[in-house]
Every structure is written in C-alpha cells, then in structure tokens.
Amino acid sequence: MKVGIIVAADDPMRLYAAATYAATELARGNEVGIFVTGRAVPLFAKGDHGDYPERRRMEELGVTWAAILKEAKQLGLTIAVCETVAKIYGLGLGDFKTLDIVDEVTSMYTFLEKFGEKVVVF
C-alpha cells in the first residue's frame, strides 16, 4: 500500500510523531511519501530541530525527527516540499541541502497522484 503523510506543523513533537509513523509504515512494507507544507517547510531547509524541553534527551537517544527521517530514507522514504510554500519563504530545492533528505519541490496535486491512496495529516 502507498501511504502519504502531510506535515504542516512546526512543532518538533508533531514532527517526531510523523517521522515515527513514516518509519513504522516503511517497516510494515508500505511505500511512504511525506509532503512538507506550511510552517514545517523552513525547518526542512534550516535543519532546525526547535528549542523545546525534550530536545536534549531526544538528541542523546538519537530520536529527533530529522534523525528518524534520515534513517527512513534508507528504507525508501521520499520527501517532497510544497512548491508554493517554498516560494513564500523564498526557498528552492538547493536550500534543502542542510538535512539532505528532501527529494523534490512539487505540488500537492502531484504528491497526491502518487500517494493519495491513504493520507495522514500531522
């Protein structure tokens, strides 16, 4: 099954939840794609994990959202960024090299054509 995950929040714990969900679906043998939009877009460009109470402990354990997504990429995860929101923030594909996990900048339509079978929003 193909699973699409739409990530719009800039809250690190919601990003963590989305990342663990993606990794779990991949482990279950599903094809998974993430579409990043809204306030989440700049985090994928800056590599900013946010400043929140759990951050240090999560980094010690290696379970930040970015670390989980990097590992999930090795299992076939694809990550696309919303082209319109990227333009709003003045970002292009080259700006997403900090984390080096974004595959493309595209439209929601294109993403849903590929992963619209089952979609979860975070």
Side-chain angles (χ1 to χ4, degrees), residues 26-118:
L26 284 162
R28 295 177 68 208
N30 294 318
E31 184 179 348
V32 181
I34 292 179
F35 186 78
V36 182
T37 189
R39 292 187 173 152
V41 169
L43 298 181
F44 280 72
K46 297 176 187 173
D48 183 6
H49 301 280
D51 188 22
Y52 52 100
E54 302 85 2
R55 177 180 178 174
R56 192 163 115 171
R57 185 67 175 135
M58 291 175 80
E59 287 175 346
E60 289 171 0
L61 295 171
V63 294
T64 63
W65 62 268
I68 293 167
L69 292 179
K70 284 180 184 179
E71 292 292 322
K73 292 287 295 174
Q74 296 176 27
L75 299 175
L77 174 68
T78 61
I79 300 176
V81 170
C82 177
E83 63 187 351
T84 303
V85 176
K87 286 178 187 175
I88 291 169
Y89 284 108
L91 301 169
L93 183 58
D95 295 307
F96 295 96
K97 296 299 179 193
T98 302
L99 292 178
D100 201 28
I101 57 175
V102 173
D103 298 298
E104 63 181 335
V105 176
T106 190
S107 69
M108 172 97 55
Y109 182 89
T110 301
F111 177 78
L112 291 177
E113 282 291 301
K114 184 171 184 181
F115 291 102
E117 186 176 320
K118 177 182 177 182

